[in-house]
Amino acid sequence: MSFRGEEDYIKQIFQLQCDNPSSAYVKTSELIQLTGHAAPSVNEMIKRLVSKGLLEYNRYVGVRLTSEGEHIAANIIKKHRLWETFLHDYLNYKWDEIHDEAEALEHITSDRLSEALYAFMAHPKTCPHGNPIEVSIDDQHDSEEILLINASTHHAYRIIRVKDTPDVLEYLDRIHLKPGTTIRINENDPFNEFIEIKNDDRTKTIGYRLAKSIVVKKLE
Amino acid sequence: MSFRGEEDYIKQIFQLQCDNPSSAYVKTSELIQLTGHAAPSVNEMIKRLVSKGLLEYNRYVGVRLTSEGEHIAANIIKKHRLWETFLHDYLNYKWDEIHDEAEALEHITSDRLSEALYAFMAHPKTCPHGNPIEVSIDDQHDSEEILLINASTHHAYRIIRVKDTPDVLEYLDRIHLKPGTTIRINENDPFNEFIEIKNDDRTKTIGYRLAKSIVVKKLE
DNA sequence: AATTATGATAAGGTTACCCTAATAAGGAGG
DNA sequence: CCTCCTTATTAGGGTAACCTTATCATAATT
Ligand SMILES: [Mn+2]
Ligand SMILES: [Mn+2]
Ligand SMILES: [Mn+2]
Ligand SMILES: [Mn+2]
C-alpha cells in the first residue's frame, strides 16, 4: 500500500530528476528544501522508500527512483494533472486555485477513477499550466523547449508551460500570459536581469525570477 | 482539523441515530459492529470525539452527537453522496461501485469543491441510491415513507431509496428495481417472510431480508 | 593539517489510528 | 450475596509521519 506522504516524496523526487536530467542523483538537501521537512524526516523517509524498493540511495551522493518508483510517480502526477484540469475546465476554478486541491485528491484516486476522469474529459493532453498529463522520465526534454530566460531578442515564442506556484500563476493571470500565448522578445537584458516582451500589442517587462518559471518554444 | 477516521465514526453515529430516532443514544456495541473495529479502538475514538466537543457520552448508555458533531456529519454525508452521484451520472460507474470511492473522496473534499460539484451537477436532490444530498437529523422522517416490509397487499408504492450495500445493489440492479420504480404489492406473507410484487408486468418475490433494505411510499 | 561547512543519523518525542489480552463494572438469575 | 455474562476500560504495543536536539562523517577551504 502507498501512503500519502510516501507518494508526495516520490513525486518530488521525480520532478527534481526531470528538472535536472544531467545529474542522475537528487541530493537530500534538495528534498529538504523542496518538501520543507526536517532533515531527519527526509532521511527516515528515504530509508522507508529504499526498503520498499522504490528508491536507490548512495549517502553523500543522493537518491534516484527505481523503475517501479518512476512508474508510481508518473501515475500520481497524471492523477494530479487530471484533477487540475477537471477543476479548472469543469468546475470553474481559477488556475492558481487548483494545485492544492489536486495535491490531496491525487492520493485517493484509484486507477479506475483516473481512467474514467480521463475519458470523461476526452483525454486532455496537458493540465491548465501546460504540463503533460502522460509523463515519462525519458521523453521529457523536447530540446526545442527552453526557459524564457534563455530566449533571444527579436524572436517569437509560444509559451508551453509555466511553474505552478500560486504567486507565479496569479501574476501571469493578471498580465494575460498562459500556455499557448505567443510573445515576441524585444529585449533580453542579462545585466539588469529582465526581459521585455510584446504580446497583444502591449509591452511587458518580465524579471528573471519569473522568466525562470516559464518554458517557451521558438516559432517557425 | 478533522481526520478521516474521526469523520467516518461521526458519520456512522449519525446514520445510527437516524435509523433509530426513538432511542437517542447509540451504544458502543453498535459502533463496534458497524465499524468492524475492536472495542478499545472504538472506546478511544469516543473519548477523542468527546474531548473535541463533537460527542456526548454516558457510559453503559451510549453516545450522541452534539450539534457541532451533527453538522460535521451532515456535511460529510453530503460530500459522499455528491461524489456517488458524480461517479454514477458522469463517469458511468455502476451504482454498486460508487460507495467505496466516495468513502475516500468525501474526506479530502473542501467545502469549496463540494459546492462547485453540487453546482456542476445542477443541484441534484438525491444520490443514485435515493438518499437525500442535503441531510438534517430532524427532517429525516417523512412519515409516509415506510420499509417495504411493512407495505400492504394490493396497494401501489414508489421506491424512494435503498440501502447502499454492494450485494443489495447488485441484486436490485438485476431485477430492475431502483428509486423511482413503481411497484404493486400482490402479497405480503409475514409467516413465510416474503413479499410478492409486480412491476413491468413481471412478478417478483422479495424476501424480508431484502425488503428491509427498501424504503417505499404509497401512491395517491 | 586544521578548520569550517555540509550532510547523515541517532535518540527521543508527538499524534492519529489501529490492535490483543487482561481487567473492571453492571445487570440478571439463583 | 454471589455467579455469569455482557459491556466497558486499562495496559501495553505497533505503524506512518512528522518534530527537535545533538552527534557523527565527509567535503571543501584555508
Ligand atoms: Mn500542480
Ligand atoms: Mn499530494
Ligand atoms: Mn454510500
Ligand atoms: Mn469515509
Side-chain angles (χ1 to χ4, degrees):
Chain A
M1 203 86 321
S2 276
F3 295 89
R4 190 199 158 127
E6 282 182 15
E7 290 181 345
D8 278 333
Y9 274 91
I10 291 171
K11 218 180 50 169
Q12 314 254 45
I13 293 166
F14 187 94
Q15 314 267 36
L16 287 169
Q17 281 186 214
C18 288
D19 286 357
N20 203 349
S22 49
S23 86
Y25 285 90
V26 172
K27 274 181 255 157
T28 310
S29 53
E30 292 180 83
L31 274 172
I32 292 166
Q33 167 71 28
L34 193 61
T35 62
H37 293 144
S41 309
V42 173
N43 192 260
E44 188 182 293
M45 180 58 84
I46 286 172
K47 286 193 292 189
R48 221 199 313 279
L49 293 175
V50 167
S51 81
K52 289 195 174 189
L54 306 175
L55 217 55
E56 273 175 55
Y57 179 46
N58 296 315
R59 70 197 100 143
Y60 298 99
V61 180
V63 298
R64 190 172 47 186
L65 292 169
T66 63
S67 59
E68 193 190 341
E70 272 180 32
H71 198 265
I72 293 175
N75 193 244
I76 299 168
I77 289 170
K78 176 177 179 177
K79 288 168 183 173
H80 179 97
R81 294 183 180 158
L82 281 173
W83 282 117
E84 289 188 331
T85 307
F86 176 71
L87 295 173
H88 183 264
D89 294 357
Y90 294 85
L91 301 192
N92 298 117
Y93 274 64
K94 300 217 196 73
W95 79 343
D96 57 325
E97 299 169 325
I98 59 185
H99 180 81
D100 289 347
E101 298 264 20
E103 199 60 48
L105 286 161
E106 59 189 1
H107 305 289
I108 44 85
T109 303
S110 66
D111 289 349
R112 162 89 193 270
L113 175 52
S114 177
E115 285 311 306
L117 251 189
Y118 197 29
F120 173 72
M121 298 190 289
H123 304 281
K125 291 276 185 310
T126 66
C127 80
H129 311 122
N131 296 112
I133 302 276
E134 302 267 20
V135 223
S136 150
I137 224 165
D138 312 314
D139 59 31
Q140 268 310 78
H141 29 54
D142 179 341
S143 53
E144 304 270 310
E145 296 180 1
I146 59 168
L147 290 176
L148 176 57
I149 203 174
N150 298 318
S152 344
T153 309
H154 302 314
H155 285 275
Y157 292 85
R158 172 179 295 115
I159 296 178
I160 299 299
R161 59 179 173 275
V162 302
K163 189 132 251 161
D164 58 351
T165 50
D167 55 340
V168 168
L169 294 174
E170 209 194 323
Y171 186 81
L172 289 177
D173 206 39
R174 267 212 299 283
I175 62 173
H176 301 104
L177 294 185
K178 58 166 171 282
T181 305
T182 298
I183 60 178
R184 173 166 288 276
I185 312 296
N186 285 347
E187 188 187 356
N188 185 337
D189 182 343
F191 186 76
N192 292 299
E193 300 190 321
F194 74 82
I195 296 174
E196 198 186 281
I197 67 167
K198 199 172 85 173
N199 93 302
D200 290 343
D201 288 321
R202 232 166 293 167
T203 300
K204 290 154 190 170
T205 304
I206 309 277
Y208 264 29
R209 202 190 66 93
L210 178 57
K212 280 184 213 158
S213 301
I214 301 173
V215 173
V216 297
K217 187 173 179 174
K218 198 182 279 188
L219 289 176
E220 87 257 41
Chain B
M1 203 83 324
S2 274
F3 295 89
R4 192 202 157 123
E6 284 181 15
E7 290 181 345
D8 277 333
Y9 274 91
I10 291 171
K11 219 179 49 168
Q12 314 254 45
I13 294 166
F14 187 93
Q15 313 268 35
L16 287 170
Q17 281 185 214
C18 288
D19 287 357
N20 203 349
S22 48
S23 85
Y25 285 90
V26 172
K27 273 181 255 158
T28 310
S29 52
E30 293 179 83
L31 274 172
I32 292 166
Q33 168 72 28
L34 193 62
T35 62
H37 292 144
S41 309
V42 173
N43 194 262
E44 189 182 296
M45 180 59 85
I46 286 172
K47 286 194 291 189
R48 221 200 312 280
L49 294 175
V50 167
S51 81
K52 289 196 174 190
L54 306 175
L55 219 53
E56 272 176 55
Y57 180 45
N58 296 316
R59 70 196 101 151
Y60 296 99
V61 179
V63 297
R64 189 169 50 183
L65 292 169
T66 63
S67 60
E68 194 189 341
E70 273 179 31
H71 200 264
I72 292 175
N75 193 243
I76 298 167
I77 289 169
K78 177 178 179 176
K79 289 169 182 172
H80 178 98
R81 293 180 182 160
L82 282 172
W83 281 116
E84 288 189 331
T85 307
F86 177 71
L87 295 173
H88 183 264
D89 293 359
Y90 294 85
L91 299 191
N92 299 117
Y93 273 66
K94 299 215 196 75
W95 79 342
D96 57 325
E97 299 169 326
I98 58 186
H99 179 83
D100 288 347
E101 298 266 20
E103 198 59 48
L105 285 160
E106 60 189 1
H107 306 288
I108 45 83
T109 304
S110 65
D111 289 349
R112 163 88 194 270
L113 176 51
S114 176
E115 285 312 306
L117 251 189
Y118 198 28
F120 173 72
M121 298 190 289
H123 304 283
K125 291 276 183 309
T126 67
C127 81
H129 312 121
N131 296 113
I133 302 276
E134 301 268 20
V135 224
S136 149
I137 225 166
D138 311 315
D139 59 31
Q140 267 311 79
H141 28 54
D142 179 341
S143 53
E144 303 270 307
E145 296 181 0
I146 58 169
L147 290 176
L148 176 58
I149 203 174
N150 298 318
S152 343
T153 309
H154 302 312
H155 285 277
Y157 292 85
R158 173 180 294 116
I159 296 178
I160 300 299
R161 59 178 172 276
V162 301
K163 189 131 251 160
D164 59 349
T165 49
D167 55 341
V168 168
L169 294 174
E170 211 194 324
Y171 186 80
L172 289 177
D173 206 39
R174 268 213 298 285
I175 61 173
H176 301 106
L177 294 185
K178 58 165 172 283
T181 305
T182 298
I183 59 178
R184 172 166 287 277
I185 313 295
N186 285 346
E187 188 186 356
N188 185 338
D189 181 343
F191 186 74
N192 292 300
E193 301 191 323
F194 74 81
I195 295 174
E196 197 184 280
I197 67 168
K198 200 172 83 172
N199 93 303
D200 290 344
D201 288 323
R202 231 167 294 166
T203 299
K204 291 155 190 170
T205 304
I206 310 276
Y208 264 29
R209 200 187 68 92
L210 178 57
K212 279 185 214 157
S213 300
I214 302 173
V215 173
V216 298
K217 186 171 179 174
K218 198 183 279 189
L219 290 177
E220 81 255 46

